[in-house]
Amino acid sequence: MLSILIPTYNYNVFPLAEEIHKQVVQTGIIFEIICLDDASKTLYLENEKINLLSDTKYEMLKTNLGRSKIRNLLSKKAQYDWLLYLDVDVFPKDQNFISNYLPFLNNATKIVNGGILYQPNKPDKSKLFRWVYGKNREALGYQLRQKKPYLSFLTLNFLLHKSIFESVSFNEEIPNLRHEDTLFSYDLMQREIFIHHINNPVYHLGLDPFDTAIRKENESIIALKFLTDHQMIGQDYLRISMAFYKVKSLKLMPIIAFLHRIFKEAILKNLSGNFPLLFLFDCYRLGYWCSIENKSIAL
């Protein structure tokens, strides 16, 4: 028995729900699909068609909860013990996507992560940066992901037993910015809950245009600063936080912040161009963190 849970916001989730429904029906297992809309501002009439599919429902919340709360709410709404979470902007790579997960419905002490891919063809220039980043930093093979199982964990496509939420759930106290998946994976590591990475990917279709991608990355640094400031994750858990605290310990933060201010526009020009360099993106993130930390100290 399987509950397939899809949080959605400002998106047409019907094509994904229809495909998942087709696949799970073919397996013959008992199932439900819940698409929970987090009070979208943009309405997609096609989403109402989800309620015509058997054992499937689309529900619109009256108020926006945010990424952590809606995932926890989905687990409470689920009537079965095995939960498969999918982000709304993904689509299965293979026709046997659901059946590939079924052999793992046998051990309540682990999480199974299927992984993600990006389309092989380059998108238009406005979305190129997000595509390059995703293909190089997120779309990792399962063997590579298993070497760093917690750092490689993404919440776009994963299976778990509901009992895991009794010890680890998505933290609802953090700002609704980014890195709720980072905190979730860190908590899993602290409680020694095993993550099994497998080759069962979905395509991540939701490529943000450059301005949106950079705004989200700025938000993610603010969120990461919050997590480390409040000792919710270790300073050495992520490569970017480890680099920041090394710079801070060497008292180089004002220099990096100054360099960020000088070279910011040049770096953004490269990242928004035809050949974005991820090394420069790493420099941008480190510089941005030093800048906001420098300002907070000045205040």
Side-chain angles (χ1 to χ4, degrees):
M1 295 184 287
L2 178 65
S3 294
I4 301 168
L5 310 175
I6 308 174
T8 180
Y9 180 73
N10 289 347
Y11 206 89
N12 179 7
V13 66
F14 179 73
L16 173 61
E18 185 179 40
E19 174 63 23
I20 293 299
H21 182 268
K22 181 183 73 173
Q23 289 195 26
V24 72
V25 166
Q26 290 174 349
T27 68
I29 67 168
I30 298 173
F31 75 95
E32 65 175 345
I33 301 174
I34 305 175
C35 301
L36 191 57
D37 194 310
D38 201 8
S40 290
K41 295 179 180 178
T42 302
L43 299 180
Y44 292 90
L45 295 179
E46 198 172 11
N47 285 341
E48 296 295 339
K49 293 164 57 177
I50 292 171
N51 292 314
L52 300 178
L53 301 172
S54 62
D55 300 300
T56 305
K57 65 179 178 180
Y58 169 79
E59 179 183 346
M60 170 80 79
L61 297 176
K62 294 182 179 180
T63 57
N64 182 270
L65 298 181
R67 283 180 294 275
S68 292
K69 287 183 179 180
I70 195 171
R71 285 179 169 85
N72 290 338
L73 179 59
L74 277 165
S75 74
K76 295 173 183 176
K77 287 180 172 288
Q79 61 178 315
Y80 303 128
D81 287 336
W82 284 101
L83 314 177
L84 174 59
Y85 278 90
L86 294 172
D87 271 12
V88 67
D89 58 350
V90 304
F91 201 84
K93 176 181 179 289
D94 298 318
Q95 293 293 313
N96 55 354
F97 171 74
I98 293 295
S99 62
N100 285 342
Y101 268 126
L102 299 189
F104 298 97
L105 305 185
N106 58 8
N107 187 337
T109 62
K110 68 175 181 297
I111 286 180
V112 183
N113 187 269
I116 66 170
L117 292 173
Y118 285 81
Q119 298 282 6
N121 297 326
K122 279 187 177 183
D124 59 62
K125 184 180 176 181
S126 69
K127 298 179 179 180
L128 182 60
F129 164 73
R130 189 61 186 84
W131 180 80
V132 169
Y133 178 85
K135 282 181 68 68
N136 286 276
R137 298 285 176 86
E138 296 175 337
L140 306 177
Y142 72 99
Q143 292 174 321
L144 191 59
R145 283 185 275 123
Q146 197 64 64
K147 291 181 180 179
K148 296 181 178 180
Y150 300 99
L151 288 177
S152 301
F153 177 76
L154 296 172
T155 56
L156 287 81
N157 167 27
F158 72 101
L159 174 78
L160 81 165
H161 194 272
K162 188 186 287 189
S163 62
I164 289 178
F165 276 121
E166 295 174 4
S167 57
V168 182
S169 61
F170 288 94
N171 191 302
E172 299 184 6
E173 304 303 319
I174 62 175
N176 186 35
L177 294 170
R178 309 285 152 192
H179 282 296
E180 68 279 351
D181 52 351
T182 300
L183 180 56
F184 185 65
S185 72
Y186 185 79
D187 289 341
L188 292 172
M189 182 182 71
Q190 295 297 103
R191 288 162 178 78
E192 299 182 341
I193 296 173
F194 181 65
I195 300 180
H196 185 188
H197 289 270
I198 65 172
N199 183 29
N200 194 29
V202 292
Y203 282 115
H204 184 205
L205 305 178
L207 294 177
D208 290 317
F210 181 74
D211 289 345
T212 302
I214 289 298
R215 174 180 58 79
K216 288 183 176 181
E217 288 301 334
N218 291 344
E219 291 174 353
S220 77
I221 292 297
I222 295 171
L224 189 53
K225 177 179 172 356
F226 179 90
L227 295 181
T228 54
D229 284 351
H230 290 79
Q231 300 180 336
M232 302 177 80
I233 67 170
Q235 295 177 356
D236 60 349
Y237 186 54
L238 297 179
R239 189 172 62 173
I240 180 65
S241 58
M242 189 162 51
F244 169 77
Y245 283 100
K246 182 66 174 178
V247 165
K248 188 175 182 179
S249 69
L250 295 173
K251 303 187 186 305
L252 295 175
M253 194 172 61
I255 297 174
I256 300 299
F258 172 76
L259 293 174
H260 177 76
R261 188 166 68 250
I262 297 298
F263 293 106
K264 172 184 173 182
E265 294 305 321
I267 291 175
L268 292 177
K269 183 176 181 180
N270 169 268
L271 297 179
S272 62
N274 292 318
F275 303 99
L277 299 176
L278 294 183
F279 169 74
L280 291 180
F281 175 59
D282 293 335
C283 293
Y284 173 86
R285 295 168 74 206
L286 180 59
Y288 182 78
W289 194 343
C290 288
S291 296
I292 59 176
E293 182 75 10
N294 221 29
K295 288 179 181 177
S296 66
I297 292 175
L299 294 175

